[in-house]
Amino acid sequence: SPNCTCPVIAAPTSGGDEMVCEGLANPVLTATPPVTPVGVTVDWYAAASGGTALLLNSNTYTSTETTPGTYTYYAESRETSSGCVSATRTAITFTIKDKPTGGITVAETSGTTPNDGTICLGSSATLTGTGGDTYAWEDMSTTNPRTVTPVSAGTTTYTVTITDAMGCKDTVEQSIITNPLPTAGITSSETSGTTNNDNTICTGASVNLTATGGGTYVWEDNSTNADRTVSPVSTTTYTV
């Protein structure tokens, strides 16, 4: 039953609902008590009526929730001298938004396996940020997708911060491995003419050519053995 000896005390005025992105610090919820009667404070509850106070004598409250969702807290006015309270509590909601899940896809045709993030020096890869509405790369560019061409062999890591429509962010990385180019060579073996292996032979003689420096080889005649034997009839250039 109502306490007829208590004055009418208005519920607190909400400072506004709040929203935060998952993983960030929770904002402070605020409520202002009425100016009359004098000496009114604010208590915080998790229920519209009854229950145990979460916090007493404070115009502010910071939720300890960390799981995405919407939470409602209730501010109640209380006269400190009499203990009289407002007939209703002011609801203030607090929402934790899911953090977007960012990603980077890789497109490239260099090396042995397409799109595996391993390329040869001098080649390029196209990186596409996913999961957001806007994208900001480590070089401050906002173009998505972007094309990268590492200038040296080794591992280069690219970073993008994605932002969704609610302003929530996620940052992800993608490494590109750049392999150095092989040093190709051809050795020759022949015993024709005056000096062995000088690449000068007599008509009708043969030369054994051996490609070096790689794992596979393709000659100008489309043969693929590392070793080949040739019998040119005139000065001839062979390419691998």
Side-chain angles (χ1 to χ4, degrees), residues 3-240:
N3 185 346
C4 297
T5 64
C6 285
V8 175
I9 302 174
T13 299
S14 170
D17 298 333
E18 297 286 350
M19 187 274 289
V20 71
C21 297
E22 180 185 6
L24 299 181
N26 288 347
V28 176
L29 306 180
T30 62
T32 305
V35 294
T36 58
V38 176
V40 176
T41 188
V42 175
D43 300 330
W44 295 84
Y45 293 83
S49 62
T52 302
L54 299 171
L55 181 65
L56 298 174
N57 302 319
S58 178
N59 289 2
T60 63
Y61 177 73
T62 302
S63 173
T64 59
E65 296 290 346
T66 58
T67 304
T70 297
Y71 305 90
T72 303
Y73 299 97
Y74 299 86
E76 180 180 81
S77 296
R78 176 173 54 84
E79 187 180 40
T80 55
S81 60
S82 65
C84 295
V85 299
S86 55
T88 60
R89 295 171 180 170
T90 299
I92 302 175
T93 61
F94 163 59
T95 301
I96 301 176
K97 299 294 294 182
D98 285 295
K99 182 175 74 171
T101 301
I104 301 174
T105 61
V106 179
E108 47 82 12
T109 56
S110 179
T112 57
T113 305
N115 308 327
D116 66 349
T118 299
I119 63 175
C120 299
L121 185 62
S123 297
S124 299
T126 298
L127 307 180
T128 303
T130 62
D133 292 274
T134 61
Y135 302 87
W137 296 90
E138 84 289 336
D139 65 348
M140 308 305 291
S141 66
T142 56
T143 300
N144 191 55
R146 68 181 289 200
T147 299
V148 297
T149 307
V151 297
S152 61
T155 300
T156 307
T157 300
Y158 300 92
T159 304
V160 66
T161 297
I162 67 118
T163 305
D164 67 12
M166 299 300 297
C168 296
K169 301 177 184 293
D170 189 25
T171 299
V172 291
E173 296 180 345
Q174 174 66 50
S175 293
I176 298 296
I177 299 172
T178 304
N179 289 326
L181 296 177
T183 301
I186 301 175
T187 61
S188 63
S189 176
E190 48 81 13
T191 57
S192 178
T194 57
T195 305
N196 293 344
N197 306 325
D198 66 350
N199 297 326
T200 300
I201 63 175
C202 299
T203 301
S206 298
V207 180
N208 185 68
L209 303 179
T210 301
T212 61
T216 62
Y217 304 92
V218 179
W219 294 88
E220 84 288 336
D221 65 349
N222 292 320
S223 61
T224 56
N225 290 331
D227 294 297
R228 66 185 292 198
T229 299
V230 296
S231 301
V233 297
S234 60
T235 298
T236 306
T237 300
Y238 297 93
T239 305
V240 68

